[in-house]
Amino acid sequence: MNSKIYLCKSNRFGCLFFLLWPVVVSGTTSLNSMTSLVSTFKKSDIFIMYNSNDATKLSEYKVDNISWGSQVHIYPKAIEKNNKILSRNMDYGIKLSSVDIALIQEGGKYVLCGNKWNYKCDKFYWDLRKKTSDADVQKLSELKAITERAVLDVHGKIVGVPWVSKGGVTIPMARTNDLGYKKWLIEKIDGVLKIKPDAIHFDEPGMESVAINSKRPFGLNQYNLQEFNKYLAKLKGPDWKYDNIQHLDKFDYKKLVLDESDKKRNFNLPLWKEFTEFKVASSVKLFGELVTYAKGKSGGALQISANVALGDWRVIPLIQYIDFIASEVGHQASKFKVPSQPLYIYKLAEGFNKPIVSTALGADWAVIKKDKHILLACTWIAQAYATGQYMNFPLKAWVPGSTYQPLSNIYPQLSSWIKEQGKLFDGYESINSTGVLFNVEVLKNHKKVKKLIQFILKLIKKGVLFKIILDDSDKSIIAPSSNINDFRSLIILFPEYISAEKNRQLKKLYPKDNIWWPTQSDMDGSIIKSGLSQISILGANGIYAFPRRKQNRSGNTDIIHLLNRDYLPERRKMEQKGPFKIKLNKGFLNNINIKSAILHQPKLTGDENFVNLDVPIKLSIKEIDNYLILTVPTLNLWGIIEFKYF
């Protein structure tokens, strides 16, 4: 029996999520060939989000890569400017410097506030019959340009307006089936490639499908409507009928939605599921064609990044075209607690075998910028790196209407520590003795996603070493390339979404004691199946442990990241932990001939009371039955335990 989880290598997008998707893209690059480019990233690499105009800051932060580049919209002066920036970055050792191409989503809420374009301003909708201030009119030249490129819902109300460059040129909203829009984007890619960048960052691909809102339906433009009729013809067949509709070539879906939305207050619109799936397929098709074109014209050396909402099922099909994910991840800064949600996102990215370079939301950075909770932001960075992912250091991090220009020297101190301890980052991968399998269809159910995230976080807290495996019931696998029998044990979540045949196969692969189908009460409770937990913290709360392993010719080596999750907002410090013990199951350790264990921690400004914080601490080790017990005297923000072997 073939038990491997395979990558989707078909050129048909039907293989991605829905067997019904008929869209075809020729010349598609396989996932395996695309992911090899990012293997040059080191785990200790430092990222910032945008190009910095201050070269000294690049050196101070020890920046290796710029993940998003800058939104230049690729006009001649912008190309010249970015060419100079890229040259300077190379002089300062920047290995990857991205240039941003905006795929502005249909239905986006970008409106003009004063003389600046912002997101979610007070006035959500525009009444174009009224002029704004004279300064605004002068800057935009004519409101007609906005009207032509705005996105309207079926009632003619504006739900999105285009971006405007500094030169007053409007940027079209995304119209995935509009050949003119695709031509416009190809011209921008050609302009970018003249700069010869290391990477292109696509801003919000697929957001046209993500932003679909059945209460204010949009996307019903002429281009989509024409293609939707063709999609329905392939999907339903020539004899399909709906509500006395007999000829799809004359079918007016917009009129149908208008009629139904006027009648029903619950907005349970007809064919909306089909239209949503069509819009997702269209977004994937367009993005795949753009990436294939860019990589082909660049000779294949170009890296592709994009900011996508990783947990949203509608953007998951796009990930096959992305070399690394550059994404905004919510950190709930206003709660002044170390957030858990990013850990789920990082584990999900690991399941895709894709590096993620995250940044907090603009609203999160606004809290840090205003209240100066620098150490809270440092816990965000620590979480990313401890899980083998990356987070942009907040030099020029976006906040609404501005950017965050940190004055504190704590961030450069932390980035310097990561670089100094590079040997404890580079080459280390997560240790996964358990596979956590669930079907991608689960991600369409908001209630189940909430349960899923809670359960994933519980596994982390309980010291279960796992990797997420995404399944789609043997239609085709889009996410990981893991061999499903590489794991000692398997957890199957929401088995009702997995085919009966697949469940039978898994039962044959794993002994009864090594496979677990958690019930609803199991997922809601605090208890997990015995034997799954490999590492636990004794004598202290609020500490998570993330073991990692490096494969060497002379023998593998293990380390353990320790994260302190208790932040004291009133003092703007971490709650000091220790002494406490770490209980390790020797079964997961690759080499139990441990001579010593050394704890390394960063010493940051404000940590003066920790006299020897930056001095490596030798930990005591005891062996009891099948466990090793380590005693940690103190932990502040983040520590790494390095094992020395005989």
Side-chain angles (χ1 to χ4, degrees):
M1 180 187 65
N2 190 341
S3 61
K4 287 190 176 181
I5 299 292
Y6 290 105
L7 296 169
C8 172
K9 295 183 179 179
S10 168
N11 284 342
R12 286 191 176 273
F13 284 108
C15 76
L16 291 173
F17 267 86
F18 308 100
L19 289 177
L20 302 174
W21 283 9
V23 187
V24 178
V25 175
S26 60
T28 301
T29 308
S30 74
L31 275 170
N32 282 334
S33 63
M34 294 180 72
T35 54
S36 62
L37 291 170
V38 296
S39 61
T40 56
F41 284 179
K42 293 182 178 179
K43 296 296 184 183
S44 63
D45 273 3
I46 303 299
F47 288 78
I48 61 173
M49 191 171 179
Y50 295 121
N51 287 302
S52 173
N53 294 325
D54 187 349
T56 60
K57 288 292 185 182
L58 298 177
S59 178
E60 182 184 7
Y61 277 72
K62 295 181 168 39
V63 176
D64 296 294
N65 304 288
I66 296 169
S67 59
W68 291 35
S70 58
Q71 279 187 341
V72 297
H73 303 310
I74 319 308
Y75 296 105
K77 289 185 178 179
I79 292 174
E80 181 180 347
K81 176 183 176 183
N82 272 265
N83 197 17
K84 292 179 180 178
I85 292 174
L86 292 180
S87 298
R88 186 204 65 199
N89 288 345
M90 292 174 64
D91 292 339
Y92 280 87
I94 305 298
K95 296 194 294 287
L96 180 143
S97 200
S98 177
V99 176
D100 193 1
I101 293 181
L103 282 73
I104 308 306
Q105 74 265 32
E106 194 165 1
K109 308 172 187 68
Y110 292 90
V111 295
L112 190 69
C113 296
N115 288 325
K116 294 183 178 180
W117 287 89
N118 288 309
Y119 186 63
K120 288 187 177 178
C121 295
D122 292 335
K123 289 191 176 181
F124 188 75
Y125 303 108
W126 269 34
D127 183 352
L128 294 184
R129 293 171 297 179
K130 299 178 182 178
K131 291 188 176 182
T132 57
S133 68
D134 292 340
D136 294 339
V137 173
Q138 184 178 3
K139 186 175 182 64
L140 299 175
S141 299
E142 293 182 3
L143 289 176
K144 180 181 177 182
I146 294 179
T147 311
E148 290 174 347
R149 287 181 165 143
V151 176
L152 311 178
D153 71 3
V154 290
H155 299 286
K157 293 184 178 179
I158 294 176
V159 294
V161 294
W163 281 8
V164 175
S165 74
K166 290 182 179 179
V169 181
T170 54
I171 309 300
M173 305 296 285
R175 297 181 187 271
T176 51
N177 289 290
D178 179 359
L179 294 179
Y181 177 67
K182 179 182 174 182
K183 180 181 178 182
W184 183 87
L185 287 169
I186 291 291
E187 290 174 355
K188 304 311 138 191
I189 291 174
D190 287 338
V192 166
L193 294 179
K194 292 178 182 178
I195 308 173
K196 301 187 185 304
D198 302 311
I200 290 180
H201 175 79
F202 286 95
D203 190 16
E204 298 182 339
M207 285 299 290
E208 182 179 4
S209 58
V210 170
I212 288 173
N213 185 337
S214 60
K215 292 185 178 181
R216 294 192 61 82
F218 53 83
L220 300 172
N221 58 61
Q222 58 177 318
Y223 313 104
N224 281 337
L225 292 174
Q226 292 169 1
E227 293 301 315
F228 184 51
N229 284 2
K230 297 176 184 177
Y231 174 85
L232 283 176
K234 293 181 180 179
L235 185 69
K236 303 294 187 179
D239 299 326
W240 176 73
K241 295 181 180 180
Y242 179 88
D243 196 23
N244 297 321
I245 298 167
Q246 297 186 9
H247 301 286
L248 276 172
D249 57 337
K250 298 179 180 178
F251 176 40
D252 188 343
Y253 181 59
K254 181 175 180 179
K255 183 177 184 304
L256 177 64
V257 169
L258 265 174
D259 292 342
E260 292 295 321
S261 62
D262 285 340
K263 295 175 186 176
K264 301 177 181 179
R265 290 189 175 185
N266 61 356
F267 296 101
N268 185 19
L269 299 177
L271 300 175
W272 198 249
K273 176 178 180 292
E274 288 83 355
F275 190 68
T276 301
E277 294 172 2
F278 158 73
K279 290 287 291 294
V280 172
S282 298
S283 295
V284 174
K285 178 178 181 291
L286 174 64
F287 187 61
E289 290 173 343
L290 295 175
V291 170
T292 301
Y293 176 83
K295 280 185 172 285
K297 192 158 186 179
S298 68
L302 193 68
Q303 296 196 51
I304 303 297
S305 67
N307 55 320
V308 293
L310 186 57
D312 194 305
W313 69 268
R314 289 165 290 195
V315 301
I316 284 180
L318 300 171
I319 294 173
Q320 64 171 323
Y321 296 107
I322 299 171
D323 293 317
F324 68 95
I325 302 163
S327 181
E328 287 183 290
V329 178
H331 282 69
Q332 298 180 306
S334 60
K335 293 185 176 181
F336 300 109
K337 294 181 179 180
V338 181
S340 298
Q341 177 97 355
L343 294 174
Y344 163 70
I345 297 296
Y346 298 147
K347 293 297 290 186
L348 195 58
E350 179 187 76
F352 282 98
N353 293 331
K354 298 284 185 176
I356 184 170
V357 184
S358 70
T359 184
L361 299 179
D364 293 322
W365 290 123
V367 171
I368 302 300
K369 178 181 179 181
K370 179 181 178 181
D371 293 322
K372 302 179 181 178
H373 290 270
I374 307 299
L375 279 182
L376 178 60
C378 287
T379 67
W380 306 346
I381 297 169
Q383 280 193 142
Y385 279 87
T387 54
Q389 305 296 351
Y390 309 92
M391 186 173 191
N392 287 295
F393 277 74
L395 180 62
K396 286 191 69 176
W398 179 82
V399 298
S402 183
T403 57
Y404 178 24
Q405 300 283 9
L407 299 177
S408 171
N409 61 354
I410 290 180
Y411 296 122
Q413 288 172 3
L414 189 58
S415 65
S416 295
W417 181 77
I418 292 172
K419 300 303 289 185
E420 291 166 4
Q421 301 296 336
K423 66 176 184 177
L424 300 180
F425 289 89
D426 299 337
Y428 281 90
E429 302 295 339
S430 62
I431 303 172
N432 302 306
S433 55
T434 299
V436 176
L437 178 71
F438 60 88
N439 191 282
V440 293
E441 293 290 313
V442 171
L443 299 179
K444 298 180 183 179
N445 187 310
H446 294 297
K447 291 183 179 179
K448 284 184 167 52
V449 168
K450 186 176 180 180
K451 295 285 186 185
L452 170 67
I453 294 173
Q454 291 174 345
F455 188 77
I456 292 297
L457 296 176
K458 181 170 69 175
L459 294 180
I460 294 173
K461 186 176 181 180
K462 294 290 186 179
V464 179
L465 311 182
F466 68 94
K467 183 175 184 179
I468 289 174
I469 308 169
L470 286 184
D471 168 74
D472 66 353
S473 299
D474 292 327
K475 299 171 194 171
S476 59
I477 303 301
I478 53 173
S481 57
S482 300
N483 189 333
I484 203 167
N485 57 6
D486 281 346
F487 304 101
R488 297 180 186 178
S489 55
L490 185 67
I491 301 173
I492 301 177
L493 303 179
F494 307 105
E496 65 272 22
Y497 285 87
I498 296 175
S499 69
E501 176 59 27
K502 187 65 171 282
N503 274 301
R504 284 193 292 269
Q505 292 177 2
L506 295 172
K507 285 181 180 179
K508 292 179 182 179
L509 272 177
Y510 284 89
K512 182 179 179 181
D513 291 340
N514 291 49
I515 192 167
W516 184 29
W517 286 269
T519 63
Q520 189 64 55
S521 60
D522 290 331
M523 296 190 71
D524 292 338
S526 60
I527 307 299
I528 63 170
K529 183 178 174 65
S530 62
L532 291 176
S533 179
Q534 302 294 323
I535 183 170
S536 55
I537 306 297
L538 308 176
N541 295 319
I543 298 173
Y544 284 2
F546 297 92
R548 301 184 65 76
R549 175 167 296 156
K550 184 177 183 179
Q551 296 182 349
N552 302 303
R553 291 182 180 179
S554 57
N556 298 342
T557 58
D558 294 340
I559 61 169
I560 300 175
H561 287 264
L562 298 176
L563 296 180
N564 184 356
R565 298 181 52 77
D566 284 338
Y567 176 68
L568 305 174
E570 66 282 356
R571 296 173 56 194
R572 298 181 183 177
K573 291 185 180 294
M574 305 303 299
E575 178 183 304
Q576 184 181 359
K577 302 292 185 179
F580 60 90
K581 298 183 186 298
I582 305 174
K583 183 180 179 182
L584 304 175
N585 188 332
K586 292 193 295 187
F588 89 84
L589 292 172
N590 187 71
N591 187 345
I592 62 173
N593 297 314
I594 296 174
K595 179 170 63 175
S596 62
I598 309 297
L599 176 65
H600 304 268
Q601 302 184 71
K603 185 173 182 178
L604 308 175
T605 297
D607 289 338
E608 286 77 9
N609 55 315
F610 298 99
V611 178
N612 294 317
L613 193 62
D614 55 348
V615 177
I617 302 172
K618 187 174 182 179
L619 308 181
S620 69
I621 305 176
K622 290 185 179 180
E623 187 172 345
I624 302 177
D625 298 328
N626 292 322
Y627 298 94
L628 292 179
I629 309 296
L630 310 178
T631 301
V632 179
T634 184
L635 177 70
N636 190 34
L637 171 73
W638 175 17
I640 303 176
I641 297 175
E642 176 187 14
F643 291 110
K644 304 283 188 180
Y645 301 92
F646 288 106

